[in-house]
Amino acid sequence: MASIKDAFEETLQDEHALAMYIIFAIPLFLCTKFIIESDKTGYFLITALFTSILLMGFMLKCTSNVRSNTNVVLPSFNIFPLLWDGLRGIIVLAPLIIIAYTLEFFIAGFLSNLITNPTTLQIFITITSGLCNSIIYTGYILFARHFKASDVYDFKTISTYCVDILIAVIFMSIKMFFVNLIILAPVLYFIWIFFGLPHPIATFYYCVVIVFNLAIMGHYLAQVDYEVIGEEY
């Protein structure tokens, strides 16, 4: 089974790992600052777009590095390849996301007309949502292998492995909850004691943790790829 412990440790072992998390958290912090201050100007939109593309490229590169068995997990500080990879990832995965959520919408509507019991309906809608989201995760994993758009739309591979990947993602979510509890609670406690909450220092720390989470998830999904799909694809 994929190890969150390995993902946690190895994403911290790279040279200058902490510096990278801090630097890549800066644009995310600016986005958060704009949201808190209700600034919906062009600066917010530009910063949000830049941050989304950058962090998408960051996570994809983490997955690619681990899957390729390189001796590093994190990408370099050169943001231009990350922006290119992130932009390609968003463009390539966007239609798959639209397909998955459109499918979820129509299935949910069909189930609403078919099932009258609210509890049973909610269970089936939750299962449907999970399966549709697993399509997106599978597409992400396939793209991160070779950065080829055609890999994302190999629906035979997606249909074969999406359920196994869904189970792996559920376990990842549970593990990530406890990881975040461990790394957030002690630091936020000290920030609360000395500065109070909410505070810009706490907000920036949240952003650093989010970037760290993306690295862990990228690493974990590479492990899932290796264990679930392996070399068959």
Side-chain angles (χ1 to χ4, degrees):
M1 181 177 289
S3 170
I4 201 73
K5 179 177 178 292
D6 289 346
F8 182 90
E9 292 177 349
E10 292 179 17
T11 50
L12 286 175
Q13 290 172 357
D14 279 9
E15 189 177 5
H16 309 306
L18 182 58
M20 177 167 288
Y21 295 138
I22 292 172
I23 291 171
F24 278 68
I26 292 173
L28 185 59
F29 175 74
L30 292 176
C31 288
T32 307
K33 184 172 179 291
F34 286 138
I35 293 172
I36 292 173
E37 296 176 356
S38 299
D39 185 348
K40 301 299 186 292
T41 64
Y43 292 109
F44 167 75
L45 296 175
I46 293 171
T47 306
L49 181 61
F50 172 84
T51 303
S52 300
I53 295 172
L54 179 66
L55 294 183
M56 181 64 167
F58 174 85
M59 185 174 169
L60 278 167
K61 193 60 179 176
C62 290
T63 304
S64 175
N65 284 344
V66 175
R67 190 62 182 85
S68 302
N69 294 316
T70 59
N71 57 359
V72 295
V73 176
L74 303 178
S76 70
F77 285 98
N78 185 353
I79 67 170
F80 295 106
L82 296 183
L83 289 172
W84 174 238
D85 290 340
L87 181 61
R88 285 194 295 161
I90 290 172
I91 291 173
V92 169
L93 288 170
L96 185 67
I97 294 170
I98 293 171
I99 291 170
Y101 285 127
T102 301
L103 187 63
E104 179 183 347
F105 174 79
F106 281 110
I107 293 175
F110 174 76
L111 291 174
S112 298
N113 294 324
L114 186 66
I115 302 172
T116 56
N117 185 282
T119 303
T120 306
L121 175 62
Q122 188 58 50
I123 291 171
F124 276 93
I125 288 178
T126 301
I127 293 171
T128 300
S129 178
L131 289 172
C132 290
N133 277 283
S134 73
I135 294 173
I136 299 169
Y137 278 107
T138 309
Y140 167 91
I141 287 172
L142 295 177
F143 179 72
R145 281 188 162 201
H146 309 295
F147 292 92
K148 290 173 59 179
S150 58
D151 292 346
V152 177
Y153 297 94
D154 184 346
F155 291 109
K156 180 178 182 298
T157 302
I158 290 175
S159 62
T160 301
Y161 297 107
C162 68
V163 174
D164 292 327
I165 288 176
L166 170 62
I167 294 170
V169 168
I170 291 172
F171 278 108
M172 180 185 73
S173 302
I174 296 170
K175 295 172 185 177
M176 289 296 296
F177 171 79
F178 290 104
V179 166
N180 282 297
L181 190 64
I182 292 169
I183 63 179
L184 279 173
V187 175
L188 291 180
Y189 175 75
F190 283 106
I191 293 174
W192 174 63
I193 292 295
F194 289 104
F195 302 102
L197 293 174
H199 193 277
I201 294 177
T203 303
F204 186 76
Y205 182 65
Y206 292 142
C207 295
V208 172
V209 171
I210 289 172
V211 177
F212 182 44
N213 272 234
L214 292 176
I216 294 175
M217 290 170 61
H219 189 300
Y220 193 95
L221 289 173
Q223 295 181 63
V224 170
D225 177 17
Y226 184 80
E227 292 183 357
V228 174
I229 302 177
E231 301 303 329
E232 295 180 31
Y233 169 71

